Amino acid sequence: MTLRGFFARHRIASGLIAPAVVGVTAVVTLTWALSPAPRTVDTELTASTTECHDMVTVSVAGRHDTPVAGTTKMLVDPNGKELPAALSSDYTSRWVDPVVNAPGGAVDPGSYAAVYIAYPANMNNYENAVAAGVANTKSVMREIQASCPNTKFAVVGYSEGADVARRVAMDVGHQEADADGSYGIVDPAKVVGVVILADAGRAAEQGPFPGAKNPFAGPDGFDRKYQDGTNATGGQGALPDTGGDDFGVLGGKVASFCSDDDLTCAVPQNISLLQLAVNVGRQLNVDTLEREGLTPATGQDVAVTLSRIAFDAFTEIGSQPNWMQSDQTFLDVLLTVSAPSYKPGQPAPSPAKAQSIAADEMSPLAYLPQKVFNEIIGLITTNQNTIPVVLSDPYKLTLAPDTGHHFDYWRDADPNNGKPLTSAEYAAAWLTHLAQQAQNGQPITANQPDGASTAAAPSATGATATTTPVPTAELLADTPPTTGSTTPTTDSTSTATVTAPSAGAASTVEPTPTSVAGTATVTEKSPAASTTAAAVTTSAPAPSPAE
């Protein structure tokens, strides 16, 4: 009997696996839910890529936290064509602002700018949203480099935007120059730093600074330590098929932050059913499923996705004549074909043959007992941590008010154990250091951070630090936030105060976010001789109660 004939008579596995996938998908995929609705402003187009700066930070925020054309002043190219980005003076993100705006007060006016990338920032289809974010980020970087070839870049992403930032960084770092020495995206040498907050693609046990001389202490060229020792967050990112610790020539210029128990980036190994659920969820309309529950329409979306994965699984198996003799399980195949990065028709590696099967000419049915045994053992051994994770209430663990670990990056300082700054404060200090070097025309080489970059991320115990609790699950309600007022914080010593976003009812101290103000001066030869930027105030909206 042929293998194809065998499976034509034994269609069982897909029916058994589907209920498990649907159940755990609802638990895992909601961990990217955060951020308020965007602020609405005058739609006049003013900012152009011809307004050159020594360094530009390209920022990608999380779910529902993105500039929107028609409600936000968007960046334009030299011909006035609107680009998918807005200056940080025209769009604010309560989460990312404290990091990307910090350098503004430590360099000359006009030397530094931060932009926010516009992209779907939703989970109507996670993969499509991230792919659009990657494409938009690359296009904006290309346009800026075309107008301002001497500008340096940093890339910053958080949550869903962290996945965008990671993929962009990996693509930039692995480019090969064309025959004329040009690059398809931007020259990797122009990208001086990448910050990934809640890195869903991090490798297992990866240090915070992949590719650096000391991947646990700090990025190359910045001698301020992030932490003492060699502590690495356990587990790995929830999206291993898009990740890894190889950033090509950008290795050593990347800060990949992950908090223990943030299940977007620190999931334990041996949770294959949960990983399958995540893969499925990345292809579903999770926004509608979350909002409406399981309805005929959302059920059809789930059914179509599962049917396609099952079809791909049987096709994959059918392409391997000796699959029944191998140790590869049906769950292994499902994990492979359910990954959005899977492309049908690619040559599959030959599965290892089972040690106890030697008769190559036997009917596939003769291998069934050993295959069933392998399936059972594989299901058990690759899911040793699945039940503990589910019982831990992953949604609460990751997104609970005041305690959810997806928000630790603004409150994870531990000075008593050799970690004086939060991850956000450290990132702000590093970006400030890079901006100062860019302004001075210095190469990114190892030296001690100067006073201004140190002040940009104050010690957790220092008097200059203004820290408040972080809002968490209140942001799950897509209600328009109220807006408070703040004052730009720039003093004679160019000290930039970095603060955590304000919390909900638990907040007892009002935030003082970093603001960027002043007159912008063009630092390169460009069509625009000079530009003037209005004073900008970055404020943290008060969160609305969760619905």
Side-chain angles (χ1 to χ4, degrees), residues 138-201:
K138 292 177 180 178
S139 69
V140 169
M141 294 176 72
R142 278 191 291 263
E143 290 289 347
I144 293 174
Q145 186 177 65
S147 297
C148 309
N150 293 325
T151 292
K152 302 291 195 303
F153 292 97
V155 181
V156 175
Y158 171 53
S159 194
E160 187 171 3
D163 196 8
V164 174
R166 160 178 274 279
R167 298 189 198 192
V168 169
M170 296 186 80
D171 288 348
V172 169
H174 286 95
Q175 292 177 105
E176 293 185 4
D178 296 333
D180 60 357
S182 63
Y183 292 88
I185 309 172
V186 295
D187 184 347
K190 299 293 185 182
V191 179
V192 295
V194 178
V195 175
I196 311 173
L197 295 158
D199 184 3

Side-chain angles (χ1 to χ4, degrees), residues 46 71-72 78 90 97 118 158 168 188 194 289 302 359 386 395 429 450 469 495 506 523 535 546:
T46 56
T71 63
T72 307
D90 295 321
D97 272 0
Y158 171 53
V168 169
V194 178
L289 192 61
V302 173
T386 296
Y395 184 87
D450 53 31
T495 299
T523 59

